[in-house]
Amino acid sequence: MRTPPIYVYPVCIALLLIGCRSTRPDPEPRPLGNDLPAYEAPRDGPERPGSDVRRPPEWQNAPGDTLTLQESLALALANNPRLQSFSWEVRAREAQALQAGLWPNPTVAGETEDLSTGDPFGDFAGSEQMVQVSQPIELWGRPGARQDVAEEERDLAGWDYEAARLDVVSQTTQAFVGLVAAEERVHLAQELVRLSEEVFETVSRQVETGEVSPVEKERARVPLSQARIRLRRALESRESARKTLSGQWGRSDTTAFTAVGGTFGPVDPVPSLDSVNAALPRNPALARQKDEIERAKAVLSLEKRDRFPVPSVTAGWQRFGGRTGSDQTALKAGVALPLPLFDRNQGAVQRARYRLERAQRQRESARVRLDTTLAKAYRSLVSAQNEAQTIDEETLPAARSAFESVREGYRQGKFDYLEVLDAQRTLFDVRRQQIQALSRYYRARVRVERLVATPLEELQ
């Protein structure tokens, strides 16, 4: 039985050490807003027919006349430019993982010896020629370790995309709440103008009949003018809120919709702090820190493997000098192995250990920071809830009842105009305070939901 050539052995060892690679699934979307499809860059590249871009088909174009929160979220998740940029980075990291698992290319070399100096081209057939192929063999699982690092980096990009998706959901909801508050202020300002006009007309009639002094008419003109100024300001604020909302899906055109289909509803109960804290690990920042540690471990494993040399296997064909009459051919094989005498990658290994320790400390820091932020956001939410409930159950009914009584008493001559004006001012101040409290409540609710990446109704 013939003994196999020596170069066969390293090839076999390499095939055994390389092993198979598996692809991990993408990071799992968090519960907040995952019922709506978000933009995902196509895997076959941009602007190609048949690209699998996930867009909600019913919201590819402009929204209808009345815009709802769900429509706003669908438009933003499908068209937000920042979210799209993170999606393309995920695709780039996937391509990087593919590249990291590839073998180095072989090298082909050719050589000719013993050419005549007088006529090298004419004497080419009598020279010695050699052609060989050299292939580096990455042993010790180096390609797999390199691909592990690339896949961890892909997972980090996936968490960045998920954090951007949650930001889009949160910011769009915040912008929608701001637009609803602006609409409520417009309605309140319009009602204030209407009531001021009614009071002004009532005072004008009383001046004509001689019941009150003409000075009262001039007094009534001042709050009417102020109410009209408030209305103009409210309309400008509403236009600004419309631009803020439409900017979430990359458009500055506010004529795509004419009204917002939403109002401030009743204040929902807030879940307990313990149940909210229990959902904090769903925050993508914490999940990302866990994968950051895994990436640091993968880098350390790769640096340890890089301590070992990369042998090269060579195989070729050689033709010996035909000019001497010994026209013969032969196969040649060889193995080249670098000697790790000085550079054993010890500095890179130590650096990877330090960065692993750093990643573990960063995870602890992120947890403390998120705990503190969540506690502050939760207190703001509870405070806004208590304020909104108090205004709705106590302050507003009392102010409304006082205004109606004073206005009716003024018609009967029991109160003067200043008392009507004071009661009206108090009522509308309370209603403005209510809008502000409800806006603060819903914004605080959105902030808490963003931190735990979960709708609060699921934590009740």
Side-chain angles (χ1 to χ4, degrees), residues 303 435 456:
E303 298 294 359
I435 295 173
L456 289 188

Side-chain angles (χ1 to χ4, degrees), residues 44-346:
D44 55 353
E47 299 180 0
R48 293 185 180 181
S51 296
D52 58 340
V53 181
R54 291 181 56 193
R55 291 177 181 268
E58 65 271 25
W59 302 119
Q60 285 186 7
N61 300 319
D65 292 338
T66 301
L67 185 69
T68 65
L69 176 59
Q70 288 295 100
E71 295 169 0
S72 301
L73 292 174
L75 281 166
L77 289 172
N79 301 287
N80 186 273
R82 180 171 177 267
L83 183 61
Q84 292 177 359
S85 68
F86 278 96
S87 183
W88 284 111
E89 179 61 21
V90 172
R91 293 291 176 256
R93 296 294 179 89
E94 290 175 350
Q96 178 181 333
L98 172 64
Q99 182 66 32
L102 300 179
W103 269 44
N105 292 324
T107 301
V108 178
E111 184 177 336
T112 299
E113 296 180 355
D114 200 16
L115 287 173
S116 170
T117 57
D119 187 12
F121 295 101
D123 201 33
F124 185 80
S127 63
E128 294 184 2
Q129 295 106 35
M130 182 267 295
V131 177
Q132 66 179 16
V133 178
S134 179
Q135 173 65 57
I137 304 297
E138 294 189 317
L139 303 177
W140 324 111
R142 184 179 280 107
R146 190 168 57 240
Q147 191 171 10
D148 283 340
V149 174
E151 288 184 350
E152 292 296 342
E153 291 177 349
R154 181 209 62 185
D155 291 346
L156 292 177
W159 285 122
D160 291 339
Y161 169 82
E162 178 61 16
R165 186 188 69 84
L166 292 177
D167 286 342
V168 169
V169 173
S170 176
Q171 293 167 6
T172 303
T173 306
Q174 294 267 15
F176 190 85
V177 170
L179 180 54
V180 171
E183 291 279 1
E184 294 286 343
R185 294 189 186 98
V186 168
H187 296 157
L188 182 62
Q190 290 172 341
E191 186 176 352
L192 180 58
V193 169
R194 181 183 60 81
L195 287 176
S196 300
E197 289 175 346
E198 289 181 1
V199 172
F200 181 77
E201 292 174 359
T202 301
V203 174
S204 298
R205 287 194 298 268
Q206 291 176 340
V207 169
E208 292 174 358
T209 59
E211 298 179 23
V212 296
S213 169
V215 177
E216 298 294 332
K217 183 177 180 180
E218 296 304 318
R219 288 182 177 179
R221 193 185 303 277
V222 173
L224 175 59
S225 176
Q226 292 176 337
R228 287 170 176 168
I229 292 174
R230 284 183 179 272
L231 177 58
R232 286 194 294 270
R233 289 178 179 175
L235 291 173
E236 293 173 359
S237 177
R238 182 179 66 179
E239 184 63 21
S240 177
R242 288 163 65 91
K243 283 185 176 293
T244 301
L245 180 59
S246 61
Q248 291 299 315
W249 53 82
R251 297 185 60 176
S252 59
D253 181 17
T254 61
T255 62
F257 59 95
T258 58
V260 58
T263 57
F264 288 138
V267 176
D268 296 327
V270 178
S272 65
L273 181 58
D274 291 338
S275 61
V276 173
N277 280 328
L280 187 59
R282 298 177 183 177
N283 189 296
L286 289 180
R288 191 188 192 282
Q289 289 300 323
K290 180 179 179 181
D291 278 358
E292 191 73 53
I293 293 175
E294 295 301 320
R295 177 190 175 277
K297 292 179 179 178
V299 171
L300 177 59
S301 177
L302 175 61
E303 298 294 359
K304 288 180 178 180
R305 284 171 169 79
D306 282 343
R307 294 180 299 180
F308 302 104
V310 178
S312 295
V313 177
T314 302
W317 170 88
Q318 185 170 6
R319 176 179 178 270
F320 297 97
R323 198 183 324 155
T324 61
S326 58
D327 189 4
Q328 297 179 353
T329 60
L331 296 177
K332 58 183 303 184
V335 176
L337 183 65
L339 298 179
L341 298 180
F342 308 107
D343 182 3
R344 296 184 300 278
N345 209 40
Q346 55 267 47

